[in-house]
Amino acid sequence: MMRLLLAIIALAVVLAVPAFAGEFWTTLLTQIMIFALLALSADLLLGSAGLFSLCQASFFAVAAYTTAILQVRHGVGTLIAAPAGVLAGTLLALVFAFAVRTRGVYFILITLAFGYIVWGVAYRWASFTGGDNGVTNVPLPAIGPLRVTGTTQYYYVVLVVVLLCVWAYRILTASPFGLSLRGIKSSETRMRSLGYDIGRHLYMAFVLAGVFASIAGVLYVYHNRFINPVAGSFPVSVEAVLMAIIGGSGTILGPFIGAGIVLILRNWVSGFFHYYTGMLGIVFIVTVLWAPKGIMGLIARWKSGDRGEGV
Amino acid sequence: MTAAIQVDRLAKAFGGLRAVDEVSIAIPPGERRVLIGPNGAGKTTLFNCIAGTHRPTSGRVLMFGTDISQMPENRRTALGMGRTFQISNVCTDLTVLENLLLAVLGTDRRKWIVYRSTGAFPGLHDRVLAGLAKVGLADRADEPVKFLSYGERRQLELALALSSHPKVLLLDEPCAGLSPSERQKLFQTVSALPRDITLIMIEHDIDIALALADRVTVLHHGRVILDGTPDEVQSNAQVREVYFGHV
């Protein structure tokens, strides 16, 4: 009951933001929702399956580039360009998903290498990707007579898409498949002897995470209105994972809180405090040392009345 | 009649060490077979070759006539094999109920479903709770496994192995690390298993081993030195020498 009330209040606030908060905060909140979706995608692998992926930005960027190139250079409409972007990112995930043949530090290294390949291609293949300049002048999305004309409208588009993704994600994590991922994280040998083909389950998890990252990428390109290799770079992948960890890995709200903290530090605090990246570093260190389960973990501990040192 | 498990001239070497050396055993359906032998006799290695944790260096393992020597564990489970581990191996981060859900779904195609939560499958949770009641854990369904005692984890592990309705059940030292009263409880659970389940078990507690077994296989230095009834084993001089002599 309490939770439902909180959810309704939160939804009301989020719906009302453009009306009272002005363009700066509306844009920032749009960005937070998009990156929270990317963090959620990273956390499907980390929080559920225990895999630390460093190439979520690749699917994000490939989806964004695909949509941008189709819209800008070929005049393809949003109805085709947006799904095509998600499809392109997902296809890449189908290939990169072979990384699940490795575990632990090897998985981190191979996804890191994959991430650099995508970034390198985006950067070097200038005739196709626009190189350093990327693809500019991406129009706002329009489907037939329905056109998004400004930041406020696009805010609502992002809100609806992200909420739909969260709904799907919620069912996914509660489904037999989602449960199997948490089982694999806990004990692979046990899961194997219960009849699970670990490799195929992790492969599918990786591809599903790629779908969420791709949707975030498409939302991002219409928000940002241009795309360059930075979107597919290493820091974006790392930040996606760190957002999930700060907020609370293995939860749905966590990545949103984490994305909020990181992006508010970067976009707002940076306006009056020059060393905001230092603050970001301190936030990361404090999280890892004293709140390894992130903000959501702290809340859970506070609710259970445990003030002790137990983790 | 086809043996439930037939081990055919099976050998497993780790480097230069032949842990299991040309072992042949046939276990008919419904039999309760206990593997005994001193430490380093090759019991666990043989067990792991049957379960699929290890692939044999040479020789074959047949289950109801199907060669499973090179088959991955998850496919053996689909064929009707269940196992427990020597060191308790359950998903400690999950609740008791979730562990058992995973076990029930493991041999079910529904394990791939992503668009429906586990609670939305009619009858699934009830079936799981019934399985928990059998091992006396029904009232702890929603507790994380990490809060369970070692003895309770052992019971849970047995419930996990049983929930896929195995035809062949492998138990690796189910009583290891348990108190005498917990041993008694587990012994009763195991003896009460339906007789159509073929049971292969490693057990160090010789009283439990002899009480449960239809037949006993004694291993020593990777070879079978005796294959007989509990009475034959107890009265055999060589077994006394290598096994009881060292206890």
Side-chain angles (χ1 to χ4, degrees):
Chain A
M1 200 54 216
M2 183 71 181
R3 288 179 65 148
L4 189 68
L5 200 69
L6 278 176
I8 290 170
I9 293 171
L11 191 66
V13 170
V14 169
L15 280 173
V17 159
F20 67 80
E23 182 152 339
F24 175 79
W25 284 99
T26 307
T27 309
L28 183 54
L29 212 60
T30 308
Q31 207 180 342
I32 288 172
M33 288 192 288
I34 292 169
F35 279 92
L37 186 58
L38 183 64
L40 208 57
S41 128
D43 199 43
L44 178 61
L45 295 174
L46 182 67
S48 290
L51 295 171
F52 198 108
S53 164
L54 284 182
C55 66
Q56 293 315 104
S58 301
F59 316 122
F60 183 81
V62 165
Y65 266 106
T66 305
T67 302
I69 289 171
L70 284 174
Q71 286 249 233
V72 174
R73 296 215 198 115
H74 303 285
V76 177
T78 305
L79 189 61
I80 305 287
V86 176
L87 184 69
T90 306
L91 287 176
L92 185 73
L94 282 167
V95 179
F96 282 10
F98 284 102
V100 302
R101 296 174 72 97
T102 60
R103 292 289 184 286
V105 75
Y106 299 100
F107 180 82
I108 298 176
L109 287 175
I110 199 155
T111 52
L112 175 73
F114 282 158
Y116 267 106
I117 291 172
V118 170
W119 174 82
V121 169
Y123 188 62
R124 285 285 172 191
W125 192 7
S127 61
F128 183 61
T129 64
D132 225 358
N133 299 321
V135 185
T136 51
N137 294 322
V138 177
L140 280 164
I143 295 175
L146 298 168
R147 321 190 134 261
V148 174
T149 51
T151 39
T152 304
Q153 281 182 11
Y154 192 59
Y155 171 85
Y156 287 115
V157 170
V158 172
L159 181 64
V160 169
V161 174
V162 170
L163 281 179
L164 283 173
C165 287
V166 165
W167 177 67
Y169 188 89
R170 214 184 133 94
I171 295 173
L172 167 62
T173 47
S175 71
F177 181 76
L179 181 61
S180 78
L181 295 182
R182 286 187 286 138
I184 290 168
K185 183 185 181 186
S186 195
S187 172
E188 280 195 26
T189 47
R190 171 38 88 191
M191 289 297 283
R192 211 172 279 130
S193 74
L194 289 180
Y196 291 86
D197 185 338
I198 310 293
R200 282 172 65 192
H201 276 251
L202 291 180
Y203 185 93
M204 181 155 144
F206 195 98
V207 174
L208 288 171
V211 174
F212 285 108
S214 303
I215 295 171
V218 171
L219 291 176
Y220 174 78
V221 79
Y222 286 119
H223 165 73
N224 208 35
R225 312 288 298 278
F226 80 91
I227 175 83
N228 70 5
V230 173
S233 65
F234 171 68
V236 175
S237 287
V238 177
E239 269 178 24
V241 180
L242 289 176
M243 283 169 180
I245 293 174
I246 290 176
S249 183
T251 65
I252 291 182
L253 214 50
F256 284 83
I257 296 173
I261 291 174
V262 171
L263 292 176
I264 286 172
L265 274 175
R266 172 173 312 143
N267 292 295
W268 183 54
V269 176
S270 66
F272 49 82
F273 185 67
H274 191 65
Y275 300 105
Y276 77 98
T277 43
M279 279 184 66
L280 208 56
I282 291 169
V283 169
F284 292 153
I285 292 168
V286 167
T287 307
V288 171
L289 286 182
W290 287 292
K293 288 181 179 168
I295 310 264
M296 292 301 284
L298 284 181
I299 293 173
R301 227 169 82 183
W302 174 73
K303 275 208 311 216
S304 71
D306 173 15
R307 304 283 189 281
E309 293 289 299
V311 174
Chain B
M1 194 166 173
T2 328
I5 288 290
Q6 187 173 351
V7 176
D8 196 10
R9 294 174 60 98
L10 184 129
K12 175 70 186 174
F14 297 103
L17 175 76
R18 288 180 83 81
V20 175
D21 199 2
E22 301 272 319
V23 165
S24 297
I25 308 175
I27 301 166
E31 186 179 293
R32 293 180 173 178
R33 176 73 61 110
V34 176
L35 306 177
I36 64 170
N39 286 332
K43 304 181 297 287
T44 296
T45 306
L46 173 61
F47 187 91
N48 282 336
C49 286
I50 299 172
T53 318
H54 295 327
R55 300 291 140 79
T57 310
S58 65
R60 296 187 307 164
V61 180
L62 305 172
M63 182 156 120
F64 295 106
T66 310
D67 187 346
I68 58 167
S69 315
Q70 303 300 325
M71 201 179 263
E73 280 168 280
N74 55 295
R75 287 191 49 212
R76 296 183 199 218
T77 306
L79 276 183
M81 184 182 277
R83 78 166 294 186
T84 66
F85 291 81
Q86 185 175 1
I87 295 159
S88 171
N89 185 352
V90 284
C91 298
T92 47
D93 300 328
L94 307 184
T95 66
V96 174
L97 181 78
E98 286 171 330
N99 266 275
L100 222 54
L101 272 173
L102 284 171
V104 169
L105 289 164
T107 48
D108 189 327
R109 290 196 61 79
R110 289 181 294 180
K111 68 184 164 189
W112 290 103
I113 287 179
V114 296
Y115 50 81
R116 210 164 157 201
S117 74
T118 52
F121 291 93
L124 185 61
H125 278 225
D126 293 337
R127 195 177 140 199
V128 165
L129 287 171
L132 279 176
K134 254 184 244 168
V135 292
L137 286 171
D139 53 332
R140 317 211 51 177
D142 292 322
E143 277 199 63
V145 169
K146 57 182 162 218
F147 296 147
L148 257 55
S149 74
Y150 193 74
E152 287 170 325
R153 286 188 202 191
R154 283 308 216 188
Q155 296 277 350
L156 174 62
E157 195 156 7
L158 197 56
L160 293 181
L162 286 171
S163 54
S164 59
H165 302 296
K167 288 181 264 189
V168 175
L169 181 61
L170 308 174
L171 305 175
D172 191 356
E173 291 194 46
C175 292
L178 296 184
S179 70
S181 67
E182 287 170 331
R183 272 167 198 242
Q184 208 49 46
K185 198 171 160 198
L186 198 81
F187 171 77
Q188 274 157 12
T189 314
V190 174
S191 356
L193 290 176
R195 284 303 314 207
D196 56 341
I197 298 180
T198 309
L199 205 64
I200 305 174
M201 183 168 137
I202 298 178
E203 186 47 68
H204 270 300
D205 185 322
I206 204 70
D207 296 330
I208 287 183
L210 296 179
L212 270 175
D214 295 327
R215 286 182 81 81
V216 178
T217 297
V218 188
L219 289 162
H220 188 47
H221 293 317
R223 290 168 185 273
V224 176
I225 59 168
L226 183 75
D227 201 332
T229 63
D231 289 340
E232 286 166 4
V233 169
Q234 264 178 313
S235 56
N236 184 285
Q238 199 189 359
V239 173
R240 282 169 180 280
E241 169 71 27
V242 302
Y243 195 78
F244 300 104
H246 291 276
V247 170

